[in-house]
């Protein structure tokens, strides 16, 4: 998806012009994928722009950094302020937010420990991740021939830049075969997640999603949707899912910050349910999109005002 440039990007404590937000080609992270990042969304609410689950996302950023022995030279509070400052500086009412912590310039070789840790925050307007049509009509998905990187090779608990090269293989395979997105299996053959989304199946009014131990990202939207579904009276289970469980589901959908809640209408050329957005998916979308816009009182605490 092409990026829509805005005015300013936050780099190591200051706002710089969009065009000047550059790194050296010999930066460690460019060569070895030694970085961690987040994807967050800011939504327009009646009381102004607000960031959805800012604290949870920043906590995960710090957990990811810890896993790779990266000391972030800012506190979580300072980064929360920087996110809000960056949105204000660009005058955006809703946007995607991309904090990035990476090993910078100064050292070559796999050992990252002596390379500096740089921190950037970029924001830009980002519409529906899998296309405007996808939210209503769903996407066509392919189970990838590429397996999700094993937990003991690259821990999925960390949202590290380098591990996304696994998703890149899967995503490109699915696009070249004419699908919209890929789902990756783990080494045991169970569903993990999409290239950038968690996966849910609905069958007989029960929502199922793979456990984190399957090797999926500990998605923040996943947790929100599980909470919302329980509140709406659905049974929610974390259990291993096979591809057949998805073929035979009444409904299936993706969750993610970028993808929000996107129905899956076909998997490997099998139509799922009615082949369009199902009633449970629609109900969850309804609550989710109201909550992120500040229209549901009990979820208002998850919104941090930008002003
Ligand atoms: N699994 C993967 C592999 C993943 O990258 C994401 C987020 C999720 C699940 C959902 O997690 P959460 O956002 O906390 O609900 N993917 C981010 C990056 C997408 C991209 O293309 O870049 C995102 O949605 O921001």
């Amino acid at each position: 998806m092409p990026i829509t440039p805005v005015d300013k990007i936050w780099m190591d404590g200051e706002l710089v012009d969009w065009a000047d937000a550059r790194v050296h080609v010999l930066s460690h992270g460019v060569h070895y994928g030694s970085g961690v990042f987040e994807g967050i969304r800011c939504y327009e609410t009646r009381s102004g722009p607000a960031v959805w689950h800012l604290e949870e996302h920043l906590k995960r950023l710090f957990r990811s950094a810890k896993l790779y022995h990266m000391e972030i030279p800012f506190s979580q509070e300072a980064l929360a302020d920087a996110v809000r400052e960056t949105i204000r500086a660009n005058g955006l009412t809703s946007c995607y937010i991309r904090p990035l912590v990476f090993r910078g310039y100064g050292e070559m070789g796999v050992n990252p420990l002596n390379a500096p840790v740089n921190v950037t925050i970029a924001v830009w307007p980002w519409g529906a991740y899998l296309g405007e049509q996808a939210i209503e009509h769903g996407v066509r998905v392919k189970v990838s021939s590429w397996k999700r990187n094993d937990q003991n090779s690259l821990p999925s608990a960390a949202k590290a830049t380098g591990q996304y090269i696994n998703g890149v293989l899967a995503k490109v395979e699915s696009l070249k075969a004419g699908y919209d997105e890929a789902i990756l299996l783990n080494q045991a053959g169970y569903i993990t997640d999409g290239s950038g989304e968690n996966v849910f199946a609905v069958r007989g009014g029960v929502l199922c999603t793979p456990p984190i131990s399957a090797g999926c990202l500990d998605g923040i939207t996943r947790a929100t949707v599980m909470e919302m579904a329980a509140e709406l009276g659905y049974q929610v289970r974390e259990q291993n899912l096979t591809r057949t469980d998805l073929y035979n589901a009444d409904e299936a959908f993706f969750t993610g910050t970028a993808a929000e809640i996107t129905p899956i209408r076909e998997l490997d050329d099998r139509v799922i349910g009615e082949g369009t957005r199902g009633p449970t998916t629609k109900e969850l979308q309804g609550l989710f999109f109201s909550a992120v816009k500040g229209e549901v009182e009990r979820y208002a605490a998850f919104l941090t005002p930008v002003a």
Side-chain angles (χ1 to χ4, degrees), residues 151-168:
Q151 297 264 30
N152 290 306
S153 302
L154 285 172
S156 52
K159 200 167 164 65
T161 58
Q163 75 194 45
Y164 274 78
I165 207 74
N166 178 224
V168 165

Side-chain angles (χ1 to χ4, degrees), residues 1 37-41 57 60 96-98 124 126 129 148 156 159 163-164 167 171 181 184 192-199 215-224 255-260:
M1 242 168 289
F37 70 103
E38 271 304 320
I40 317 175
R41 271 190 195 269
H57 281 281
R60 189 171 65 187
Y96 186 75
I97 305 156
R98 171 57 57 84
W124 65 88
W126 212 6
Y129 186 58
R148 178 58 85 199
S156 52
K159 200 167 164 65
Q163 75 194 45
Y164 274 78
K171 179 84 188 187
E181 183 54 292
L184 294 93
T192 63
D193 49 4
S195 76
E197 315 88 352
N198 288 108
V199 180
C216 58
L217 184 72
D218 190 354
I220 290 163
T221 321
R222 172 185 180 276
T224 300
T255 64
T257 299
E260 299 168 309

Side-chain angles (χ1 to χ4, degrees), residues 86-247:
T86 311
I87 299 168
R88 284 197 303 268
N90 288 292
L92 295 167
T93 50
S94 65
C95 61
Y96 186 75
I97 305 156
R98 171 57 57 84
L100 172 68
V101 177
F102 64 98
R103 290 284 183 177
Y105 171 81
E107 290 273 327
M108 220 10 98
V110 175
N111 175 14
L113 297 176
N114 297 316
V117 174
N118 293 118
V119 185
T120 62
I121 300 166
V123 302
W124 65 88
W126 212 6
Y129 186 58
L130 295 165
E132 295 298 336
Q133 290 283 307
I135 296 282
E136 201 181 324
H137 299 293
V139 287
R140 296 179 59 247
V141 179
K142 177 182 180 346
V143 169
S144 179
S145 69
W146 297 99
K147 299 288 181 283
R148 178 58 85 199
N149 36 231
D150 185 76
Q151 297 264 30
N152 290 306
S153 302
L154 285 172
S156 52
K159 200 167 164 65
T161 58
Q163 75 194 45
Y164 274 78
I165 207 74
N166 178 224
V168 165
L169 285 171
K171 179 84 188 187
V172 170
E173 180 185 79
S174 71
L175 292 178
K176 290 206 176 280
Y179 299 85
D180 305 308
E181 183 54 292
I183 284 178
L184 294 93
L185 306 180
N186 62 22
Q187 303 295 331
Y190 293 112
I191 306 280
T192 63
D193 49 4
S195 76
E197 315 88 352
N198 288 108
V199 180
F200 283 80
V202 186
R203 197 168 170 190
V206 179
L207 259 80
C208 294
T209 193
I212 303 304
S213 59
C216 58
L217 184 72
D218 190 354
I220 290 163
T221 321
R222 172 185 180 276
T224 300
V225 165
M226 286 169 69
E227 191 184 326
M228 288 178 168
E231 195 189 295
L232 292 171
Y234 291 97
Q235 244 192 75
V236 182
R237 290 190 201 140
E238 289 180 84
Q239 63 176 49
N240 274 319
L241 296 174
T242 61
R243 58 206 292 174
T244 319
D245 292 327
L246 285 186
Y247 297 155

Side-chain angles (χ1 to χ4, degrees), residues 4 24 65 102 109-110 117 262 264 293:
T4 311
H24 197 281
F102 64 98
V110 175
V117 174
T262 301
I264 301 173
K293 288 183 205 131

Side-chain angles (χ1 to χ4, degrees), residues 28-102:
H28 197 275
V30 175
H31 292 250
Y32 307 112
S34 47
V36 296
F37 70 103
E38 271 304 320
I40 317 175
R41 271 190 195 269
C42 166
Y43 289 94
E44 190 167 1
T45 75
R46 262 190 305 249
S47 41
V51 183
W52 179 245
H53 273 305
L54 178 58
E55 196 181 324
E56 282 306 311
H57 281 281
L58 292 179
K59 274 193 196 157
R60 189 171 65 187
L61 183 71
F62 277 81
R63 290 199 301 272
S64 299
K66 178 180 171 183
L67 236 141
Y68 285 96
H69 298 284
M70 299 168 91
E71 182 99 36
I72 301 181
F74 296 92
S75 66
Q76 194 187 304
E77 293 68 40
L79 290 188
D81 286 344
V83 164
R84 296 165 57 231
E85 184 191 358
T86 311
I87 299 168
R88 284 197 303 268
N90 288 292
L92 295 167
T93 50
S94 65
C95 61
Y96 186 75
I97 305 156
R98 171 57 57 84
L100 172 68
V101 177
F102 64 98

